[in-house]
Amino acid sequence: MSVVTWQEAEDTLTAAVEYLGAMPDRERAFLAAGQRTAWPAIVRDLQSDYADVEASPSPQLTRRCANLVERMLTGERPLANAIPEGHRPLVGRVIVMKRWPGPDGFGWDHVFRSQRGELYNLARGAVLPTTSDGMRKAYERAIGRLAVALDRVAVGN
């Protein structure tokens, strides 16, 4: 009997978000076309503010990474759908803020300010004011629901 812990669920969702961000942006591919011309430096100067710094290539994603992104976020029935729709913006913001905390570090007070102290409640169809502790609890419940969904998939139910 497999039991997916809350931390494993959060780590899996964080990994999927990271892999999604590392995937190539095919719509932006036309910007790289000038690099194959006789004047790549000029084209780079026109396209970016950091033309003197060579861009590092994005990491190579494995099929396992792409499958995780599809299973968790982009597939026909992604597991992230276990997260209540009204809490998805909060969960996404917290995942990003925890992974890339910034100079002041991660804190629920930062999350509170970034969300302007509001959570969306689909059952009531309204934006409800809340506290930073309320946001923390909503996030924990949402990841808990994801853990249950991951456990169901792992067990094969």
Side-chain angles (χ1 to χ4, degrees), residues 6 10 90-95 97-98 104-117 119 130-143:
W6 186 94
E10 184 185 45
L90 171 69
V91 170
R93 186 173 305 256
V94 170
I95 289 288
M97 290 176 85
K98 278 186 160 186
D104 296 335
F106 175 80
W108 286 100
D109 56 328
H110 298 306
V111 176
F112 179 79
R113 285 192 301 270
S114 71
Q115 292 284 111
R116 295 180 304 234
L119 277 179
T130 188
T131 63
S132 59
D133 195 46
M135 289 184 179
R136 179 187 57 78
K137 288 177 182 179
Y139 175 77
E140 289 175 355
R141 284 191 304 269
I143 297 299

Side-chain angles (χ1 to χ4, degrees), residues 10-83:
E10 184 185 45
D11 292 345
T12 302
L13 182 59
T14 300
V17 168
E18 284 184 45
Y19 296 148
L20 181 65
M23 287 185 163
D25 184 356
R26 298 194 191 282
E27 292 178 4
R28 192 172 180 269
F30 75 93
L31 295 175
Q35 294 177 1
R36 291 185 294 274
T37 70
W39 295 39
I42 293 171
V43 172
R44 262 196 317 269
D45 283 342
L46 294 174
Q47 292 175 356
S48 67
D49 296 331
Y50 49 89
D52 295 335
V53 178
E54 286 295 321
S56 61
S58 61
Q60 293 294 324
L61 296 175
T62 63
R63 285 183 194 266
R64 184 176 159 267
C65 298
N67 288 340
L68 178 65
V69 170
E70 184 173 347
R71 186 170 56 118
M72 292 296 295
L73 301 170
T74 64
E76 190 173 310
R77 292 179 48 174
L79 291 171
N81 281 351
I83 297 169

Side-chain angles (χ1 to χ4, degrees), residues 1-4 71 77 79 82 144-157:
M1 177 177 205
S2 171
V3 175
V4 176
R71 186 170 56 118
R77 292 179 48 174
L79 291 171
R145 286 178 152 209
L146 180 63
V148 170
L150 283 166
D151 195 45
R152 285 183 182 146
V153 169
V155 172
N157 293 335

